[in-house]
Amino acid sequence: MASDKWAVLIGIDYYHHPDGPDHKDSTPQYDISGQNIGYPSLDGCVNDILEIEKYLLTTICVPSDHITKLLAPVPGSKHHAKTHGNKILHPTYLNIVKALEDIHRYANKGDFVYIHYSGHGARSTTIFTGLKDVGREDLDECLVPCDITNGGQYLRDLEMGALLQDLADKELILTVVLDCCHSGGAVRGDQVMPAGKVRTIPSIHKSEPSCEKPKNLDKVMALGRKDSWLKSPKGFVLLAACRERQFARECEDGPNTYGVLTYYLLRCLQYSNVDISSEYIFNNVLSAVHNHYSDQTPHFLGDLDRFFFSRENRSRMYALSVRKVIIDQRKESNDWCVVLNGHSLNGVQIGSEYDILPFGFDLSPKIGGYKILGRVKVARTDSSGSIATFIPGIEILGEEIHEGCLAVLHELPLDQHTTVHFDAPNKQAKIDFAELWHDHQGDATWLQLVDGKKPGDFIVSVTNGDIFEINPGHDILSATMKHCLGPLMAKHMKASLPRLIKRLQHAARFKMTKELGSNRVSQPRLADIQIVPAEGSVSNIEKDGIYWQVAHGDRYRITVSNCSPFTLALTILNCDPELRVARIFPREEKYCVLDADSPLFSETFESCYPTEPSGLYNAAQAGLPILEVIKVFVSKFGDFSHPQDLDTLQLMSLQEFENPSRRGIGAETAGSDNLAAVLNGLDTRRRAKHVPSENEEMSTWQVVDFPLRVIPPGP
């Protein structure tokens, strides 16, 4: 049976009962200090919904009778005149809940569901006593229905989470957009509200638990002490307007007003086809919003690989994107430039060349032969990105270059190439190798073949068994890889060399990431970062020369203390012995935010020694050390320092790269829309495993490495 499509669209400009402000059922709401809470009207929420509805009808082809639209326009507005007397549902608490329950009732497994909310966000003292930690999080994050002062109540996070989880459990394909302050009350009392309208109620509402129980209280209680649906979405993707302690703004476009998130989401969709990953949409929207509102950071949770409007997944391939385009047709092209959304923290180097590709371009196939919109060279990098100018002599399709276009590395500066020396067994072999190397463009992008007068980063030799062997002058290409990869026969050089080049390119990328920032000291230091034994750990973590020794199955903690007056973004990567680079914290998001006044941050990890048959297991059995490097990155967050996105550094293992059937992410997971399940499935291949806790200026980023040697389990 063919899948169907559904939508629930909620837009609330007017926060009074539809019959008027003097309705007899008026029920004022009070904050924790006893003051009456005001719910000011907004201007752009109904506009958001009407424009989103057009897109869903004309592009996504959602049947009109499958769209439930709940609107509250301001009385006297043009939208009020159009909707007055029509069969338009008002976004009351009961109507919103019923609309979501109806989707669960009528939609079938595999159907696509899109939910969009534009309106106020707020916080309230929790009514779910015992389900939330006492302290700062003992509050409910809420959406604010239009009848909040006329007999209605907040739609709270755990209640909404239960409604959405019901849809996900039915195996519906769910996309949720919240254009509001999803943690609106997380605004500090001393913060100054920005100019213009924002979609937040700063006051913390005082709940009356006896009369504000949700309809689905039993289901909410069944969720137990699980994370808020905003923090740990299962089975759906969610795009929110901003992070904690930020404001969701409204903006004007001519005579019309829209939510900033919805406005740039719609602009992004205009440039793309339907089959586009959530990651591309998020990156594009994030860049566009930051270009105009540096203090509003859109927030994404869920599977970045999943298409935004379907269940399909794209292969995980990483690239930078264009954050800003500076093209003036009145000026010469040598004055044109773009700003890329990466800098030295992402491995971007001055002099590197990038191909600009269309927005939404599928990186899975080979790029050669496809339309390239232009080629740029990085001229300068700083914490806001990298400025790159167009290279003369290459056609520039300026009208097609816009925010969100991809930027794929074409060439590194020559002095940054990883050098390769072939230790040839004879003169003819050296000549044949060099000819085939250049025929297969071995010197492109990452590598440079050298003659041996100076030592190469990698030395390729031929064993007595006539097999190519890669011998680095360091531990980048671990000896364990010999047990994980198939042999490449030197006597079949013509067939083997393309695979050898790919191995070397992969190793060069791994080398770049592993060494990134290793010798760099931030002045002044942004954070104090330490590794310590976890509570209950059997053995201590001891440093033996370069490496910290950890026993198999033992737990250790990474602690981070913010030493700066800035908000910081934190990401932890693992460079493992299979030449894989993986983000191991945070799990669903690209970074974790540490406020300047945050207490000591701590996350627990578990060391894993290979104990099941595999190439790495065979290497371990041969007595080879299992070595990995945990890299902890922190960078300034907010203002003009854009949040770090280190996913461009991630690499699948070399074995997965050479054997697609072994890949953990890609075609095999196309049917999966539960990101946590995918990541859990990969944990057995990661040597460092995150254990959830129970309870380009030198000063813009900092990285600390923890090289680990994993000790095998005892007999």
Side-chain angles (χ1 to χ4, degrees):
M1 183 174 61
S3 298
D4 217 331
K5 300 173 183 177
W6 308 79
V8 175
L9 309 178
I10 306 163
I12 309 175
D13 281 336
Y14 187 60
Y15 277 89
H16 289 282
H17 192 277
D19 292 338
D22 298 325
H23 193 271
K24 62 182 179 180
D25 295 330
S26 178
T27 52
Q29 302 292 332
Y30 298 96
D31 65 19
I32 55 178
S33 65
Q35 299 297 310
N36 195 319
I37 299 177
Y39 297 88
S41 295
L42 297 167
D43 294 330
C45 300
V46 174
N47 283 336
D48 289 352
I49 296 310
L50 296 179
E51 292 300 316
I52 287 289
E53 181 188 33
K54 289 179 187 177
Y55 181 82
L56 294 175
L57 288 169
T58 59
T59 305
I60 307 302
C61 299
V62 180
S64 59
D65 59 345
H66 283 194
I67 296 178
T68 301
K69 190 167 50 176
L70 302 98
L71 300 179
V74 174
S77 68
K78 61 180 181 180
H79 296 313
H80 184 264
K82 290 179 181 178
T83 59
H84 188 67
N86 294 340
K87 294 183 178 179
I88 300 294
L89 290 173
H90 294 289
T92 63
Y93 167 78
L94 291 177
N95 282 345
I96 294 173
V97 171
K98 182 178 183 300
L100 297 174
E101 291 176 337
D102 284 348
I103 291 291
H104 182 268
R105 184 176 298 113
Y106 298 120
N108 297 307
K109 176 182 176 179
D111 286 0
F112 171 75
V113 178
Y114 179 86
I115 298 170
H116 194 113
Y117 173 83
S118 288
H120 277 307
R123 283 200 311 174
S124 177
T125 56
T126 188
I127 62 172
F128 306 114
T129 304
L131 293 186
K132 295 192 174 183
D133 295 332
V134 176
R136 177 181 167 187
E137 293 301 321
D138 200 25
L139 295 168
D140 296 332
E141 299 164 356
C142 310
L143 306 183
V144 186
C146 72
D147 62 340
I148 186 63
T149 59
N150 287 274
Q153 63 188 62
Y154 286 127
L155 181 56
R156 298 167 186 265
D157 50 8
L158 293 185
E159 179 182 6
M160 183 72 166
L163 291 166
L164 295 179
Q165 200 61 57
D166 279 348
L167 302 181
D169 290 344
K170 197 174 180 179
E171 297 187 48
L172 303 177
I173 312 307
L174 187 58
T175 295
V176 182
V177 177
L178 301 179
D179 199 345
C180 64
C181 295
H182 69 77
S183 295
V187 178
R188 294 172 177 165
D190 60 354
Q191 273 191 283
V192 178
M193 296 285 282
K197 291 193 175 181
V198 294
R199 297 177 175 181
T200 184
I201 305 301
S203 303
I204 296 178
H205 170 259
K206 182 175 176 58
S207 299
E208 296 292 341
S210 61
C211 58
E212 295 185 55
K213 294 180 180 179
K215 288 185 61 180
N216 59 351
L217 181 60
D218 291 342
K219 290 183 179 179
V220 171
M221 301 302 292
L223 290 176
R225 294 181 177 275
K226 296 181 180 179
D227 281 341
S228 158
W229 63 285
L230 283 172
K231 295 182 179 178
S232 184
K234 300 293 189 296
F236 49 89
V237 297
L238 181 145
L239 178 63
C242 60
R243 300 190 64 92
E244 281 190 302
R245 305 193 181 190
Q246 291 184 334
F247 300 98
R249 296 172 177 269
E250 293 195 326
C251 63
E252 295 181 353
D253 184 8
N256 297 317
T257 301
Y258 302 94
V260 165
L261 176 72
T262 304
Y263 178 77
Y264 288 107
L265 173 62
L266 285 165
R267 284 189 57 182
C268 162
L269 296 174
Q270 290 172 359
Y271 293 119
S272 62
N273 54 42
V274 174
D275 295 331
I276 188 166
S277 72
S278 299
E279 179 176 28
Y280 281 150
I281 287 182
F282 171 64
N283 286 340
N284 180 269
V285 171
L286 176 65
S287 295
V289 171
H290 264 178
N291 281 342
H292 300 88
Y293 304 95
S294 62
D295 57 354
Q296 179 174 337
T297 303
H299 185 49
F300 183 90
L301 292 173
D303 190 349
L304 286 167
D305 294 328
R306 207 206 79 189
F307 287 166
F308 202 66
F309 291 108
S310 76
R311 72 178 304 144
E312 299 302 318
N313 279 45
R314 61 165 294 134
S315 299
R316 185 175 289 256
M317 302 288 284
Y318 299 105
L320 300 179
S321 63
V322 174
R323 173 172 289 152
K324 189 174 184 179
V325 181
I326 306 173
I327 292 180
D328 188 342
Q329 299 290 348
R330 298 169 298 180
K331 296 183 178 180
E332 296 293 329
S333 60
N334 55 8
D335 291 327
W336 297 355
C337 66
V338 296
V339 180
L340 306 180
N341 72 334
H343 52 97
S344 55
L345 180 58
N346 306 90
V348 177
Q349 301 182 47
I350 294 175
S352 297
E353 297 179 7
Y354 287 82
D355 287 332
I356 307 300
L357 304 178
F359 179 81
F361 180 84
D362 186 359
L363 288 174
S364 301
K366 186 178 179 181
I367 292 175
Y370 291 87
K371 180 168 64 175
I372 294 175
L373 306 182
R375 184 169 295 160
V376 296
K377 177 180 286 189
V378 176
R380 181 165 60 88
T381 67
D382 58 33
S383 60
S384 64
S386 298
I387 297 176
T389 57
F390 286 90
I391 296 175
I394 298 176
E395 183 181 10
I396 305 171
L397 302 178
E399 294 182 355
E400 299 183 40
I401 300 175
H402 51 77
E403 297 166 354
C405 283
L406 296 180
V408 177
L409 182 66
H410 173 77
E411 186 74 52
L412 281 171
L414 192 60
D415 62 353
Q416 298 298 325
H417 282 217
T418 298
T419 56
V420 178
H421 168 60
F422 178 47
D423 187 9
N426 55 64
K427 185 175 181 180
Q428 187 58 47
K430 183 175 183 179
I431 294 172
D432 293 343
F433 187 95
E435 289 180 351
L436 288 170
W437 179 275
H438 293 297
D439 287 346
H440 292 286
Q441 298 181 321
D443 282 346
T445 309
W446 291 97
L447 306 173
Q448 181 188 6
L449 185 63
V450 295
D451 58 12
K453 293 180 180 179
K454 60 179 181 179
D457 295 308
F458 295 120
I459 300 173
V460 177
S461 59
V462 179
T463 68
N464 292 334
D466 208 23
I467 295 173
F468 281 126
E469 185 174 77
I470 302 173
N471 299 291
H474 37 65
D475 65 352
I476 291 298
L477 189 62
S478 170
T480 59
M481 295 310 301
K482 297 177 184 178
H483 294 263
C484 301
L485 298 171
L488 296 178
M489 304 302 297
K491 65 180 178 180
H492 303 307
M493 188 180 295
K494 189 172 183 179
S496 297
L497 203 63
R499 291 186 64 188
L500 177 66
I501 290 172
K502 288 185 179 297
R503 284 186 185 181
L504 290 164
Q505 288 174 337
H506 188 99
R509 288 191 63 186
F510 183 86
K511 172 180 179 289
M512 183 274 290
T513 299
K514 187 177 179 183
E515 295 177 349
L516 181 62
S518 297
N519 300 315
R520 186 179 194 277
V521 179
S522 176
Q523 297 294 339
R525 187 175 53 171
L526 295 175
D528 179 42
I529 304 171
Q530 302 291 337
I531 183 170
V532 297
E535 185 176 351
S537 200
V538 176
S539 58
N540 290 325
I541 296 178
E542 298 178 351
K543 193 168 186 180
D544 180 14
I546 297 175
Y547 289 91
W548 294 84
Q549 293 198 89
V550 292
H552 166 75
D554 223 354
R555 295 185 173 189
Y556 56 90
R557 290 188 298 123
I558 302 291
T559 65
V560 182
S561 178
N562 190 345
C563 302
S564 75
F566 310 106
T567 299
L568 301 179
L570 165 69
T571 304
I572 303 177
L573 301 181
N574 180 26
C575 301
D576 75 19
E578 294 185 280
L579 273 65
R580 178 193 292 108
V581 180
R583 169 166 41 85
I584 57 173
F585 182 82
R587 296 291 294 271
E588 284 84 11
E589 304 176 62
K590 295 190 176 188
Y591 47 82
C592 169
V593 176
L594 305 179
D595 293 322
D597 58 354
S598 293
L600 180 71
F601 168 88
S602 175
E603 281 297 325
T604 302
F605 298 85
E606 182 179 329
S607 60
C608 301
Y609 194 85
T611 56
E612 298 181 1
S614 66
L616 198 59
Y617 172 81
N618 296 335
Q621 292 300 301
L624 296 172
I626 302 301
L627 308 175
E628 61 187 18
V629 175
I630 307 299
K631 299 185 74 72
V632 184
F633 294 85
V634 292
S635 64
K636 286 185 181 179
F637 178 91
D639 298 325
F640 294 100
S641 297
H642 292 270
Q644 63 188 20
D645 178 1
L646 299 182
D647 280 355
T648 54
L649 300 178
Q650 291 197 77
L651 281 174
M652 65 183 71
S653 75
L654 183 50
Q655 190 174 23
E656 292 169 333
F657 176 72
E658 292 196 337
N659 301 282
S661 62
R662 297 181 61 88
R663 293 180 188 175
I665 296 178
E668 301 73 46
T669 61
S672 171
D673 44 20
N674 186 332
L675 181 62
V678 174
L679 291 174
N680 288 335
L682 287 176
D683 270 346
T684 57
R685 296 180 190 156
R686 293 182 183 168
R687 305 276 60 79
K689 182 168 64 177
H690 172 241
V691 180
S693 175
E694 296 178 356
N695 315 306
E696 292 357 338
E697 294 293 326
M698 289 294 286
S699 59
T700 62
W701 63 277
Q702 175 186 348
V703 58
V704 174
D705 289 352
F706 295 109
L708 303 182
R709 177 185 286 112
V710 183
I711 303 171

